[in-house]
Amino acid sequence: MKKIYADHAATTKLSTRALDEMIRFLRDDYKNPSTLYSDATLPRKALADSRKRIAKSIGAESSEIVFTSGGTESDNWAIKNIAFNKNNSRKTIITSEIEHHAILNSCKIMDELGYQVIYLPVDDKGIVSIDSLKNVINEDTAIVSIMYANNEIGTIQPIKELAHITHKYGALFHTDAVQAVGHIDINVRDLEIDMLSASAHKFNGPKGIGFLYLRDGVALNPFITGGSQEHGLRAGTENVAGIVGMSIALQENIENLNTNEKYLQELEGILVERLRTYNIDFIQNGAKNKIPGNVSLSFADIEGEMLLHRLDLRGVQIATGSACDSQNIRLSHVVKAIRIPPNYANGTIRISFGTDNTYEDAIYIADEIANILK
Ligand code: PLP
């Protein structure tokens, strides 16, 4: 059976160029970059080159990039950092209702530690309003953390405006850009971002590696303690191959950004137009300004999970915005937050295209959805 993978927001295939570079550092140049003999020069240089490549791709300096194990660690670090900072007297964290659980569950811990956490609502497109931030921010705010783009519906937030207001109150602005880095053009300076989380496996890099951008001058306390790697900020022998693979994959994606964006939007258009020809009752979620290739659809009077399993049997892999247990259907926090009408909410699915997908894939997915629903 033909398999169509259309869940690229969950993870992406490793780039061949990245893999080829990685193999060298796994098999041949495997020495520990912290050691002093000459063989360690190559992995050490590879780390420096990778850091430079990554920094350049988001408009930062090499010294502002710290490698982590991925998006989850970067998010945890950004949120929990204020608890490690003895000089910080500010006790409020502002975030949004539609963040990834890496942020939401970190905020929950901070709440239990006595910090105040404010969750900003979103409109029906998933956008955080500037006014909602203005209404709650004050001199007690330590950090505002708003995701760049949502993983379920793709909506991109007004990052620059949100960061600008945050700075008026002397707070830090963090963004979970895991779904955005490598997919859209990001310049941390233009956008006034202080901290940014990214994860390699979302942009054709390897799993288990990511980074945290930290604007020069922002105080960060070590989260993982031990040796002096990463300027003493993040201990542990570096995942050299992973870091090299991440930097190559990111550079490759950035080189093809415009072409990829146009192509993925074409795939979206084909899918949605084809579905419309079948007279199926559905709504498309998310804002106009969204991550290319991410299509969130809610079908009337069906269960998204049923649709997911039926599509799987036909070789199509997608995601859903709800999960069933024996008695209930549990809607995702994002589906709830954007207030999808009740008869559509249960029928929410996410199709996220990648550049390996073809026009035929988009047509096939639409046809199979129509066949199942009929
Ligand atoms: N943040 C967002 C928005 C995500 O989509 C994900 C992964 O799905 C993460 C964070 C976690 O990233 P990682 O898988 O690298 O831990």
Side-chain angles (χ1 to χ4, degrees):
M1 183 175 49
K2 180 178 164 184
K3 288 257 182 190
I4 296 176
Y5 180 69
D7 197 17
H8 292 83
T11 198
T12 55
K13 185 173 161 183
L14 183 60
S15 126
T16 309
R17 227 167 88 193
L19 175 64
D20 290 346
E21 286 291 317
M22 287 172 74
I23 285 172
R24 201 182 118 203
F25 291 96
L26 292 167
R27 195 179 50 200
D28 307 318
D29 298 323
Y30 61 86
K31 307 290 162 54
N32 189 327
S34 300
T35 53
L36 298 178
Y37 29 80
S38 53
D39 266 13
T41 316
L42 275 172
R44 208 158 40 236
K45 182 172 180 313
L47 283 184
D49 291 347
S50 299
R51 206 184 298 277
K52 204 181 284 173
R53 244 178 249 129
I54 287 169
K56 191 167 166 234
S57 73
I58 57 165
E61 296 294 325
S62 286
S63 57
E64 297 174 311
I65 304 295
V66 190
F67 299 125
T68 65
S69 64
T72 300
E73 184 187 324
S74 299
D75 284 349
N76 269 260
W77 199 356
I79 296 295
K80 294 175 184 169
N81 183 49
I82 55 171
F84 295 119
N85 187 349
K86 286 193 297 288
N87 300 324
N88 171 49
S89 56
R90 297 175 176 230
K91 296 281 180 244
T92 302
I93 298 167
I94 301 176
T95 188
S96 84
E97 283 181 350
I98 61 163
E99 299 296 311
H100 189 270
H101 282 105
I103 293 288
L104 293 178
N105 287 338
S106 298
C107 285
K108 203 165 150 227
I109 300 271
M110 296 300 283
D111 183 7
E112 285 160 13
L113 288 175
Y115 291 82
Q116 187 194 9
V117 184
I118 299 173
Y119 299 90
L120 299 179
V122 292
D123 67 12
D124 60 356
K125 303 286 177 216
I127 302 172
V128 173
S129 87
I130 313 290
D131 282 342
S132 71
L133 176 60
K134 280 185 186 160
N135 289 342
V136 296
I137 193 166
N138 59 35
E139 265 72 26
D140 190 56
T141 307
I143 185 166
V144 175
S145 178
I146 305 290
M147 71 198 319
Y148 205 114
N150 183 266
N151 43 307
E152 291 190 31
I153 55 173
T155 295
I156 294 175
Q157 300 297 340
I159 294 297
K160 186 172 175 146
E161 291 83 349
L162 294 165
H164 194 69
I165 292 161
T166 302
H167 292 147
K168 282 194 179 165
Y169 291 83
L172 289 176
F173 186 81
H174 167 255
T175 185
D176 172 348
V178 167
Q179 292 288 334
V181 169
H183 298 277
I184 53 171
D185 187 31
I186 295 178
N187 183 301
V188 286
R189 295 263 182 279
D190 290 351
L191 296 168
E192 300 185 29
I193 294 168
D194 298 308
M195 298 165 99
L196 171 146
S197 302
S199 177
H201 75 101
K202 305 288 186 180
F203 52 76
N204 306 95
K207 292 174 182 58
I209 188 78
F211 66 89
L212 182 66
Y213 156 78
L214 188 72
R215 181 177 57 72
D216 192 20
V218 174
L220 187 72
N221 291 272
F223 186 52
I224 293 186
T225 47
S228 60
Q229 292 91 352
E230 299 297 289
H231 307 291
L233 286 176
R234 203 273 185 182
T237 302
E238 299 88 344
N239 175 356
V240 180
I243 291 165
V244 169
M246 167 163 70
S247 72
I248 299 286
L250 184 53
Q251 187 182 39
E252 209 176 12
N253 270 20
I254 298 289
E255 280 164 8
N256 299 310
L257 215 55
N258 294 337
T259 326
N260 289 352
E261 182 165 354
K262 207 169 143 272
Y263 181 62
L264 293 171
Q265 282 165 349
E266 268 184 275
L267 294 181
E268 285 177 24
I270 291 170
L271 172 84
V272 174
E273 285 317 308
R274 184 86 173 180
L275 277 174
R276 291 200 202 290
T277 63
Y278 286 107
N279 262 330
I280 297 170
D281 187 3
F282 71 94
I283 46 180
Q284 186 169 0
N285 305 307
K288 265 214 167 70
N289 187 21
K290 67 171 188 63
I291 291 297
N294 184 318
V295 190
S296 169
L297 304 172
S298 296
F299 294 91
D301 307 319
I302 65 141
E303 284 170 21
E305 197 174 325
M306 176 281 292
L307 191 50
L308 178 151
H309 291 305
R310 296 275 190 96
L311 282 170
D312 191 23
L313 290 174
R314 291 157 194 244
V316 177
Q317 293 159 355
I318 56 135
T320 172
S322 60
C324 303
D325 54 33
S326 52
Q327 267 122 39
N328 297 307
I329 296 172
R330 283 169 284 116
L331 297 180
S332 85
H333 62 294
V334 178
V335 168
K336 282 186 196 154
I338 60 174
R339 297 174 293 278
I340 296 175
N343 60 321
Y344 290 89
N346 294 341
T348 303
I349 61 165
R350 176 191 70 193
I351 296 157
S352 46
F353 289 116
T355 49
D356 278 354
N357 288 124
T358 60
Y359 297 146
E360 290 73 33
D361 290 351
I363 292 170
Y364 183 83
I365 296 173
D367 290 351
E368 289 308 313
I369 291 175
N371 285 336
I372 293 166
L373 297 188
K374 294 254 154 85

